[in-house]
Structures are given as C-alpha cells and as structure tokens.
Amino acid sequence: MKKDNVFEEIVKIEKKEFQNAIDKAFEKKKPELKMDGFRKGKVPKDVYFKKVGKESLYMDALDIILPNAYDKVMANYKPIIDPKVEINSISEDGVELKFTITTMPKVEIKKYKGLNIKRPEVEVTEEEIDHELGHVVERFTELVIKEDGEVELGNVAVIDFEGFKDGKPFDGGKGENYSLEIGSNTFIPGFEDQVIKMKKGEEKEIKVTFPEDYHQEDLKGQEVTFKVKVHEIKEKKARELDEDFFEDLGLEGIDSEEKLREEIKENIKVSKERDAENAFVEEILAKVAENTKVDIPEELIEDELAHMLKNFEEQIRMQGLSLEVFYEMTKSNEEKLKEQMKEEAQKHVLYRIILETVKDLEKIKVTDKETDEELEKLSKQYNVSKEEFLNMYGEKEMLKYELEVKKVLELLMKENEK
C-alpha cells in the first residue's frame, strides 16, 4: 500500500535535450578517445557514433542531465532520505525517469515539555584523580636494562621466537628482537607466563595451544612449540614528580603535583559533564519517544543501517581488520550484523524524527550569520581556513543543521529538567 509520505514523480527528457547531453558527453570524453586512423583526441563524433554507437554515452549523458532534473523535482519536496531514481525508458528519442521521494511521515508527539527529568550530578573523587595521575606517570616511565636476574611480571623481554607445528615452522610465527611486555596478554595465552623466570641469553622451548576461535584456520585449537631466546630484559623505573618530569610533561603552567592534580580534576570533570549531558539527553529523548506516534519508513531504517555499517567498517579498519576478516572471526555476515544493529538504527531514526518535529513545532531556525560565526570559531579551533574546514566537515548547510539540532537539544534540556 502506498504511504502518504512517499511520492512518485515522472520526469521526461525530450530528444533535443538528451541529444545535447550526448554531444556534451562526447566532447568530455573525446580527449581520451583512440581509434585506428585517428590521433588520440581527434576522433570525429560521427565516426565514433557509427563504430561504437550513441548508446555507449547514454549513462554519461544522463549524469549531465540528472542534477537539473533532480533540482526541479526536489523544489516541491523536503526528502528525509536521498530519492530513488529509476530509468523507465532510454533511447535516442529521450529519457523517462521515475523519482521516488520519501518525506517526513506524520508524527504525533503528545508531550515533549515538563517531563521532570533529573540531570545526573557530577563529582570527581580523589581516587579518580590518583588513578589518572598514575596513568600520566606511567606514560613517562623509563625502561632501564636489567643486568642481572630473571624476567618478571611487568618487565619487557626482548626476544627472538619461532613457532613450529608438527615440527614445521608456520606463517606469522617468527619474530626477532621483539619487545614483549610480560602481562600485556598480547601473545597466545600461556606464552608470557612461560617467559617469566628466563634469564638473559637463555633459550627455551615453550608449548602453547591456540584458542579455538583463533582467526587463522589451520592453527585453531592446535598445540605448537615456540623456540624462544631472551636477548635483553628491561624493567620499568618509576618517575619522580620533579622538575625534570614536569619539563618532559610539557603542559603550560603545570610545574607541581598540586597543579597537575587540579588539571587532571578539571579534565575528568569536563569529561563527566559531557557524559552526564549525553545521558540526560538520551533519557529525555527516550521519554519523548514514549509519547510519540509515528510510522517510520523502512527505507529510512535501511539508510541508517547503511551509515552504521560504513562507520563500523571504518572503526575496525583502524584496528587493522576488514569486514571480511571480522565476518570470518565472528562466524557472521552482513545480514546478521545489520540485524544486530537494527534496534539501534530504529532508535536513531526515531530520535532524529523527534528532533525534526520539535524544530518545526518551535520554529527553530539558524541564521546565515550564526552559521558563519560558528564556521569562523571552528576553523580557528582546528587552525585551518574556513574552506579547509568545510572540505573536511561537509557543506555549510550541514553545519547549519547541526546548529539547529543543538538549539533543539538545548530547548529540550531546559524544558524538561526537574
């Protein structure tokens, strides 16, 4: 059944306009064309059409026509996802396109003010400051060579290793002068434990079993032997919070433990306040969602799932994985992953619809001046030109939309705080 927020528009491109687009497509392609009897870029149009055919340029011509056709159709609509475009017919006599446009569905919000939600309180404890201070000091911990003694938990052992399965070396199982922090659990379970108590210059055979879920098929659950030699042992030397430490730290105005603790406290507070605000907004939107009636278009959820999948792929790529490897490791596939993401995607879409609806109800707008001021501020913050920032961020309209959303969220927080 056709929904009242889904529209279809037929656009006809007449023969003359389409022929002009084909001619433009040919001129664009001409400099790279080669053909027997003609120099590169000198192939006549009629010769090209006779030998290759106009049909070879139809899609290029359509790319030329489409932006103008799109603008004409969209002048009458406000789509919430990119319109679907289909070719009903295409020939040298012209083109017929069908645009399917999905607009905002009918939304009924019974209540979005006066929800009396308590904003989470923020407190920074001394234990949290101590914990973070420990991390700061840890980053500047020095490794010193341990001349005597054995490898202990927390030491760094510089080792050569080579793995053998059934007496034969296997791929990826060899390394030289590798710095292994004992206790980091970066190697197969049981490996690091057996390096403990080894001495400098000592050689040893270590037997371990690969996990059943190991990513390399031929090593899953297999027992292997590693030949290991310790070249050097290093131990961590804790830093004193002295003048040299604060000079290495390089934080302007921080030259004592007291000032460093204040800096850490402020950073923790800012982070907690941001988390608290996010949790506050999440609770407000969840409550408004309970008071909202809307039939969410499946196309919108699919669009959100596509974005989420793309973001997930980028995240795991930063960890050195591909989607194919991830699917193999988790015995999953795109369909299963999307199914796991679907509930979150539905929530994202619902919240976005709520924000759009409240924006319209409250007539919230952002002026060009406000957008330009924000652009100026952000470009200075990131130390780039306004043009460079927009190249990284996207179009100015996107920035304006983000500012509108920010205003909506500010209104919701103000109107619903207990």
Side-chain angles (χ1 to χ4, degrees):
M1 188 176 73
K2 192 173 181 297
K3 297 179 180 179
D4 58 8
N5 66 307
V6 178
F7 304 89
E8 290 182 356
E9 290 278 358
I10 301 296
V11 175
K12 293 183 178 180
I13 310 299
E14 300 300 335
K15 181 176 182 177
K16 184 178 179 181
E17 184 180 351
F18 190 47
Q19 184 60 58
N20 286 338
I22 292 172
D23 291 342
K24 287 179 182 177
F26 173 79
E27 291 302 322
K28 190 175 179 181
K29 196 170 185 176
K30 185 178 177 180
E32 300 301 318
L33 291 179
K34 294 179 182 178
M35 197 170 284
D36 290 344
F38 300 96
R39 287 181 290 126
K40 181 181 177 182
K42 299 296 182 180
V43 179
K45 183 169 59 177
D46 58 339
V47 174
Y48 178 83
F49 285 170
K50 186 176 181 180
K51 289 201 171 186
V52 182
K54 288 184 179 182
E55 297 86 350
S56 65
L57 294 173
Y58 282 179
M59 290 301 107
D60 294 315
L62 200 56
D63 287 340
I64 293 170
I65 287 169
L66 201 54
N68 189 45
Y70 178 91
D71 289 343
K72 284 181 179 178
V73 171
M74 290 306 109
N76 301 316
Y77 298 99
K78 189 179 178 183
I80 53 172
I81 55 174
D82 289 336
K84 183 181 176 183
V85 185
E86 298 172 83
I87 303 171
N88 280 352
S89 64
I90 185 168
S91 71
E92 64 177 338
D93 291 328
V95 184
E96 183 176 284
L97 302 172
K98 182 174 80 172
F99 286 79
T100 304
I101 306 117
T102 303
T103 61
M104 180 70 76
K106 184 180 178 182
V107 185
E108 182 186 349
I109 302 180
K110 295 177 182 176
K111 188 175 183 181
Y112 64 90
K113 293 181 181 180
L115 296 171
N116 294 322
I117 297 171
K118 187 176 180 182
R119 185 189 289 264
E121 294 180 0
V122 169
E123 180 188 359
V124 180
T125 66
E126 289 300 312
E127 289 77 9
E128 288 171 324
I129 297 172
D130 289 340
H131 181 75
E132 186 56 34
L133 179 61
H135 282 308
V136 174
V137 174
E138 176 76 17
R139 289 203 300 271
F140 290 88
T141 296
E142 296 175 332
L143 285 174
V144 295
I145 294 174
K146 191 174 178 179
E147 297 295 348
D148 299 308
E150 305 169 331
V151 176
E152 298 178 55
L153 188 66
N155 287 171
V156 172
V158 181
I159 62 171
D160 288 346
F161 62 89
E162 186 170 14
F164 296 84
K165 181 185 140 186
D166 300 328
K168 296 180 180 179
F170 56 84
D171 290 342
K174 185 176 182 179
E176 295 181 350
N177 291 312
Y178 185 89
S179 293
L180 174 63
E181 182 178 346
I182 307 302
S184 63
N185 298 317
T186 51
F187 271 35
I188 306 159
F191 185 99
E192 293 172 30
D193 293 339
Q194 295 180 66
V195 176
I196 292 174
K197 293 191 176 181
M198 288 183 70
K199 296 180 180 179
K200 180 180 177 179
E202 184 179 346
E203 298 183 32
K204 181 179 180 180
E205 289 192 355
I206 290 175
K207 292 186 183 298
V208 291
T209 301
F210 278 92
E212 291 291 343
D213 60 353
Y214 193 67
H215 64 85
Q216 199 167 321
E217 194 65 38
D218 61 335
L219 293 176
K220 288 180 177 180
Q222 298 296 306
E223 184 179 83
V224 297
T225 299
F226 281 93
K227 292 182 180 179
V228 179
K229 180 177 181 178
V230 175
H231 287 296
E232 203 169 54
I233 305 169
K234 298 178 182 179
E235 59 183 343
K236 295 177 180 179
K237 181 183 177 184
R239 292 287 300 270
E240 297 291 330
L241 298 183
D242 53 17
E243 186 178 337
D244 288 340
F245 174 81
F246 290 109
E247 188 174 325
D248 290 344
L249 188 61
L251 290 176
E252 189 176 348
I254 308 298
D255 56 8
S256 68
E257 182 177 350
E258 181 183 1
K259 289 180 180 178
L260 178 55
R261 290 180 73 87
E262 281 299 317
E263 176 78 5
I264 289 171
K265 182 178 181 180
E266 183 58 29
N267 289 340
I268 294 174
K269 183 183 176 186
V270 169
S271 177
K272 280 192 161 190
E273 286 175 342
R274 183 172 58 248
D275 291 343
E277 184 170 287
N278 289 339
F280 184 45
V281 166
E282 175 74 22
E283 191 173 353
I284 291 170
L285 290 172
K287 201 70 179 175
V288 176
E290 292 175 9
N291 292 285
T292 299
K293 185 178 178 182
V294 59
D295 182 15
I296 300 175
E298 192 62 34
E299 298 89 344
L300 198 53
I301 295 170
E302 285 298 321
D303 189 62
E304 180 65 22
L305 279 170
H307 284 298
M308 289 175 69
L309 190 65
K310 184 179 178 181
N311 289 338
F312 180 76
E313 185 176 9
E314 289 174 358
Q315 287 170 11
I316 64 170
R317 189 183 293 123
M318 290 173 69
Q319 298 169 24
L321 293 175
S322 65
L323 269 180
E324 290 72 23
V325 172
F326 172 80
Y327 291 146
E328 185 181 339
M329 289 172 63
T330 58
K331 297 179 175 61
S332 184
N333 54 41
E334 183 175 314
E335 187 179 341
K336 288 180 181 178
L337 183 57
K338 280 187 172 182
E339 190 58 39
Q340 292 170 15
M341 293 176 168
K342 190 164 187 177
E343 187 176 340
E344 191 69 15
Q346 289 172 325
K347 186 177 77 171
H348 288 178
V349 171
L350 176 56
Y351 286 0
R352 192 158 76 241
I353 288 173
I354 287 170
L355 292 172
E356 283 281 345
T357 305
V358 173
K359 177 169 77 77
D360 291 341
L361 288 171
E362 295 290 332
K363 296 180 173 54
I364 290 173
K365 294 187 182 298
V366 170
T367 65
D368 289 339
K369 182 182 178 184
E370 288 173 309
T371 307
D372 288 335
E373 286 172 352
E374 182 69 9
L375 178 58
E376 182 77 29
K377 185 179 84 172
L378 290 171
S379 61
K380 285 181 179 178
Q381 181 181 324
Y382 290 99
N383 197 29
V384 294
S385 70
K386 288 185 280 190
E387 291 74 18
E388 288 171 326
F389 179 82
L390 285 176
N391 283 336
M392 294 185 295
Y393 187 85
E395 296 178 359
K396 194 184 285 190
E397 284 302 311
M398 191 182 298
L399 180 58
K400 179 181 280 191
Y401 176 76
E402 292 292 336
L403 289 174
E404 287 173 345
V405 169
K406 184 179 177 183
K407 282 189 176 186
V408 175
L409 292 174
E410 286 170 352
L411 178 139
L412 288 173
M413 286 188 283
K414 179 183 175 183
E415 294 292 341
N416 289 294
E417 186 171 0
K418 183 183 287 187

